[in-house]
């Protein structure tokens, strides 16, 4: 934004009557990193070159058991900024702005009051709140949240690719969006791409806050990598030898897991050089993993520059620094790519919190959800917490990493009409799959034991019903999830479609009831295989369908089995 406008905004906020009260409170630097899983040196990755995030961990507490609330950008970032889970808000998709749903939430329960975001809460308490880079998901029809910031948020402008061959290979995907290759390694400066520009802008904003020392700042800096495409200056690719990169150990979905629980990696397949069908071969897998690590190191370097600016300008002793990844990422494990699942590689995230007077160079196994960051920052800053949050403060853990404030975390992922609600404790993850509002006994379950099966090779829900029952009882203590928010027009269209579908099903049932009566020659209320085959238009294929109708395997079909297959 123009400097004169920014300075004018800063001047206005000096005059804010809350500023004097906030002057001695700590500053906040919230570093958000897109698609960053714990492929980081300080989190135990032996290959990752991430010296700046590693150095940050030495200044604070590393959360080894932190999880997102939904493994996709917009809902995860909504959880960060509102302290509310996706199932509380009712937004599981990319296009829906969270304010549309939360305004309805407030209208239905006026005692809740208006939802106040994390940065908005700090702004209301006298902080200069600024958003730089990717904080909210902007795109797919979604927009920024102006109420969250003291001055308009800022995003970089620049090329996604610089190599001629890659620029020429930008072509529309199946939805018409222009996409280039999945990777790029170009011998260019850091500032050529977006993350380098975000670092420069953040450094400049940090410096400018010194002009108004009486007002504390809340700066959220959102870095774009390692989100696809895996684009980074060549020097970061050169940090890794491809043959030394870790390859996936398990390349098939968990045994006995629902087929819909995984992901097809459609996000990756949209890129112009990835529109291939079938499994991704070993060579391409290695190249993509190389790209992910290179992009991670690129982001790490930019993070280092921003933290160096905090130190350079004398803010180190009075600034809370948080590093947060919005969700994990599948790198070929289970044969899957991208996020979009409830599995460990998609749900686990890196979180580091460094706060004045708190623990340093420490790690904790305390379980954390993204929604916990809001109340944690508020308590660490000495601000009265906002009401009705789903999150719990982890400030006690930041001060003493041996403490635990959660026994488990929960997260969700939708699949068509079903919602997968996951609950994870220190040993197990259970996932309950059912339609929102449906009876509990209609659910399909997953259960994984991370002590005996850390790579999630088999769903053991059917073998340990008592563990499923115990974890499900904990999950059911939470309210029934809200369905995906829809506008009045969308609801009317959905109601009309439901009506048409019901009419179609009724007509189909009437027709099949007549077919059943015609085939039931002995009028005993059942169809044998011989009766089932009567009047079939494809007598060679029809026998193969009989077992699909015969749900109880009694070698005969009841009227319900035939009419409602």
């Amino acid at each position: 934004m123009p400097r004169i406008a920014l300075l004018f905004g800063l001047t206005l906020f000096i005059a804010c009557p809350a500023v004097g009260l906030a002057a001695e409170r700590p500053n906040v630097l919230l570093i958000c990193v897109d698609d960053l899983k714990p492929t980081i040196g300080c989190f135990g990755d032996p290959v990752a070159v991430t010296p700046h995030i590693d150095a940050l961990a030495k200044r604070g507490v590393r959360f080894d058991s932190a999880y997102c609330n939904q493994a996709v950008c917009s809902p995860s970032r909504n959880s960060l900024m509102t302290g509310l889970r996706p199932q509380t808000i009712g937004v599981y998709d990319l296009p829906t702005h969270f304010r549309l749903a939360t305004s309805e939430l407030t209208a239905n329960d006026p005692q809740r009051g208006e939802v106040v975001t994390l940065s908005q809460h700090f702004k209301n308490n006298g902080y200069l709140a600024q958003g730089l880079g990717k904080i909210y998901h902007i795109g797919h029809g979604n927009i920024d949240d102006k109420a969250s910031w003291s001055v308009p948020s800022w995003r970089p402008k620049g090329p996604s690719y610089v190599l001629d061959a890659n620029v020429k290979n930008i072509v529309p995907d199946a939805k018409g969006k222009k996409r280039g290759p999945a990777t790029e390694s170009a011998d260019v400066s850091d500032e050529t791409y977006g993350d380098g520009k975000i670092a420069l802008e953040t450094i400049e904003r940090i410096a400018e806050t010194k002009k108004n020392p009486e007002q504390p700042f809340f700066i959220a800096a959102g870095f774009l990598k390692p989100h696809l495409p895996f684009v980074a200056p060549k020097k970061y690719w050169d940090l890794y030898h491809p043959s030394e990169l870790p390859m996936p150990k398990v390349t098939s979905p968990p045994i006995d897991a629902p087929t819909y629980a995984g992901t097809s990696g459609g996000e990756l397949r949209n890129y112009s050089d990835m529109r291939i069908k079938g499994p991704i071969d070993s060579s391409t897998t290695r190249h993509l993993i190389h790209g992910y690590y290179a992009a991670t190191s690129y982001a790490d370097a930019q993070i280092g520059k921003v933290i160096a600016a905090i130190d350079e300008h004398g803010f180190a002793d009075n600034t809370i620094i948080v590093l947060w990844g919005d969700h994990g990422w599948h790198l070929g494990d289970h044969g899957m790519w991208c996020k979009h699942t409830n599995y460990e590689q998609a749900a686990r995230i890196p979180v580091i919190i460094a706060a004045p007077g708190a623990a340093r160079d420490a790690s904790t196994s305390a379980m954390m959800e993204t929604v916990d960051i809001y109340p944690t920052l508020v308590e660490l800053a000495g601000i009265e917490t906002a009401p009705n949050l789903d999150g719990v403060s982890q400030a006690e853990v930041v001060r003493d990493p041996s403490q635990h404030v959660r026994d488990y975390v929960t997260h969700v992922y939708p699949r068509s009409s079903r919602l997968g609600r996951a609950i994870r404790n220190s040993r197990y993850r259970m996932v309950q799959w059912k339609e929102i509002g449906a009876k509990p006994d209609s659910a399909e379950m997953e259960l994984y034991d991370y002590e005996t099966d850390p790579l999630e090779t088999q769903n053991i829900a059917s073998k340990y019903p008592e563990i499923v029952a115990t974890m499900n009882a904990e999950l059911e203590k939470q309210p029934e999830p809200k369905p995906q928010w829809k506008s009045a027009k969308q609801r009317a269209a959905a109601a009309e479609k439901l009506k048409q579908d019901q009419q179609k099903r009724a007509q189909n049932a009437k027709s099949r009831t007549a077919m059943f009566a015609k085939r039931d020659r002995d009028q005993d209320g059942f169809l044998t295989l011989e009766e089932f085959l009567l009047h079939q238009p494809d007598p060679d294929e029809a026998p193969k369908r009989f077992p699909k109708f015969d749900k109880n395997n009694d070698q005969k079909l009841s009227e319900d089995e035939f009419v409602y297959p």
Side-chain angles (χ1 to χ4, degrees):
M1 69 182 293
R3 291 287 155 236
I4 187 169
L6 174 61
L7 292 175
F8 178 69
L10 294 176
T11 303
L12 283 178
F13 281 92
I14 297 172
C16 175
V19 170
L21 296 174
E24 296 182 1
R25 289 175 180 164
N27 303 305
V28 177
L29 174 63
L30 173 61
I31 301 170
C32 305
V33 193
D34 210 355
D35 285 15
L36 179 65
K37 64 194 296 184
T39 48
I40 301 168
C42 62
F43 280 87
D45 191 302
V47 175
V49 181
T50 53
H52 305 289
I53 297 176
D54 298 346
L56 176 62
K58 290 186 176 297
R59 297 167 66 148
V61 178
R62 186 189 75 231
F63 283 78
D64 290 336
S65 299
Y67 293 84
C68 68
N69 289 107
Q70 185 181 332
V72 70
C73 293
S74 188
S76 178
R77 290 164 183 270
N78 292 343
S79 293
L80 172 74
M81 296 301 287
T82 66
L84 301 175
R85 299 184 179 103
Q87 58 269 39
T88 298
I89 299 173
V91 174
Y92 309 95
D93 65 3
L94 296 178
T96 304
H97 197 281
F98 73 92
R99 293 280 185 193
L100 295 171
T102 57
S103 62
E104 192 168 292
L105 193 67
T106 302
N108 293 334
D109 183 8
Q111 291 186 345
R112 287 188 66 97
E114 179 188 354
V115 169
V116 177
T117 67
L118 171 60
S119 54
Q120 185 181 11
H121 190 56
F122 274 84
K123 182 182 73 169
N124 292 347
N125 281 272
Y127 280 68
L128 175 68
Q130 302 185 72
L132 312 169
K134 183 176 180 180
I135 307 303
Y136 292 103
H137 180 83
I138 299 175
H140 299 86
N142 214 332
I143 59 174
D144 191 30
D145 181 58
K146 291 182 180 180
S148 290
W149 313 115
S150 303
V151 293
S153 62
W154 177 93
R155 289 173 70 91
K157 295 180 180 179
S160 297
Y161 308 93
V162 296
L163 297 179
D164 288 343
N166 289 341
V167 173
K168 292 176 182 177
N169 201 20
I170 298 175
V171 295
D173 62 16
K175 295 183 178 179
K177 184 175 180 178
K178 291 183 178 180
R179 305 269 192 175
T183 63
E184 178 172 274
S185 171
D187 193 4
V188 296
S189 71
D190 288 4
E191 293 71 34
T192 302
Y193 300 120
D195 279 353
K197 299 177 190 296
I198 293 168
L200 286 179
E201 186 69 19
T202 306
I203 290 166
E204 190 168 344
R205 298 293 183 96
I206 290 170
E208 285 174 345
T209 64
K210 294 191 72 176
K211 299 173 182 177
N212 304 302
E214 294 302 310
Q215 184 177 23
F217 62 77
F218 180 105
I219 293 178
F223 292 96
L224 306 173
K225 299 303 168 190
H227 192 288
L228 281 167
F230 301 147
V231 167
K234 181 177 179 294
K235 62 184 176 182
Y236 298 106
W237 288 77
D238 292 344
L239 293 173
Y240 302 94
H241 194 287
S243 65
E244 297 174 357
L245 292 166
M247 294 287 280
K249 296 179 181 179
V250 175
T251 56
S252 58
I255 296 168
D256 295 330
T259 56
Y260 52 77
T263 177
S264 63
E267 179 185 8
L268 175 62
R269 303 284 187 163
N270 284 330
Y271 286 83
S272 60
D273 59 346
M274 293 303 303
R275 294 173 193 175
I276 51 177
K277 294 184 178 180
I280 294 174
D281 63 41
S282 177
S283 175
T284 304
T285 294
R286 189 176 296 278
H287 178 68
L288 290 169
I289 292 172
H290 190 177
Y292 185 89
Y293 273 83
T296 298
S297 292
Y298 171 48
D300 173 81
Q302 311 321 302
I303 291 166
K305 295 173 187 177
V306 170
I307 295 174
I310 292 288
D311 296 342
E312 178 187 343
H313 293 291
F315 294 127
D317 294 335
N318 194 37
T319 301
I320 302 166
I321 303 176
V322 177
L323 177 122
W324 170 80
D326 62 351
H327 43 67
W329 225 80
H330 290 286
L331 286 168
D333 55 282
H334 293 317
M336 298 175 195
W337 292 88
C338 311
K339 46 264 192 185
H340 312 121
T341 75
N342 278 316
Y343 293 125
E344 185 79 357
Q345 292 302 312
R348 184 171 169 238
I349 58 174
V351 172
I352 298 171
I353 302 178
R360 296 175 63 90
D361 195 13
S363 64
T364 179
S365 61
M367 306 209 76
M368 171 188 266
E369 296 181 26
T370 286
V371 290
D372 296 342
I373 290 176
Y374 188 150
T376 301
L377 278 176
V378 166
E379 181 175 345
L380 290 172
I383 298 173
E384 185 177 352
T385 190
N388 302 313
L389 301 180
D390 288 336
V392 296
S393 174
Q394 301 268 354
E396 182 181 358
V397 181
V398 177
R399 298 184 186 108
D400 178 1
S402 68
Q403 299 300 308
H404 291 248
V405 297
R406 279 191 178 279
D407 294 326
Y408 57 84
V409 297
T410 59
H411 53 91
V412 299
Y413 207 86
R415 283 281 184 264
S416 187
S417 61
R418 298 181 182 91
L419 183 66
R421 299 170 66 197
I423 179 169
R424 168 77 151 94
N425 62 25
S426 59
R427 179 168 181 176
Y428 298 101
R429 173 183 279 110
M430 186 208 76
V431 186
Q432 175 205 75
W433 290 98
K434 71 179 184 68
E435 293 188 9
I436 294 172
K439 295 180 180 179
D441 60 8
S442 68
E444 191 166 5
M445 298 295 194
E446 292 180 89
L447 180 69
Y448 301 95
D449 182 345
Y450 292 92
E451 284 189 9
T452 63
D453 185 21
L455 299 182
E456 302 163 317
T457 62
Q458 184 162 17
N459 173 19
I460 57 172
S462 63
K463 298 179 181 179
Y464 297 97
E466 68 285 356
I467 297 174
V468 170
T470 299
M471 297 189 76
N472 198 49
E474 289 296 327
L475 188 62
E476 291 301 326
K477 290 178 182 178
Q478 295 183 6
E480 181 70 9
K482 286 184 170 54
Q484 169 64 42
W485 182 90
K486 296 183 184 297
S487 67
K489 185 177 180 181
Q490 289 172 322
R491 292 174 193 174
E496 179 60 27
K497 185 177 185 302
L498 177 62
K499 180 181 177 182
Q500 292 176 358
D501 289 345
Q502 289 173 337
Q503 290 175 343
K504 186 176 180 180
R505 283 197 295 269
Q507 292 171 355
N508 186 57
K510 183 177 181 180
S511 173
R512 294 191 66 82
T513 299
M515 290 168 60
F516 182 89
K518 188 175 181 180
R519 286 183 168 87
D520 185 16
R521 292 184 299 183
D522 56 8
Q523 298 297 300
D524 65 347
F526 293 95
L527 296 185
T528 63
L529 174 59
E530 182 182 359
E531 290 174 321
F532 175 77
L533 295 176
L534 290 173
H535 314 296
Q536 292 283 4
D538 54 348
D540 293 334
E541 294 296 319
K544 300 176 185 178
R545 292 196 295 273
F546 187 83
K548 296 179 181 179
F549 285 80
D550 187 14
K551 294 183 177 66
N552 60 0
N553 297 312
D554 63 355
Q555 305 305 310
K556 59 184 179 181
L557 304 183
S558 66
E559 183 173 332
D560 278 352
E561 285 177 319
F562 183 80
V563 173
Y564 305 104

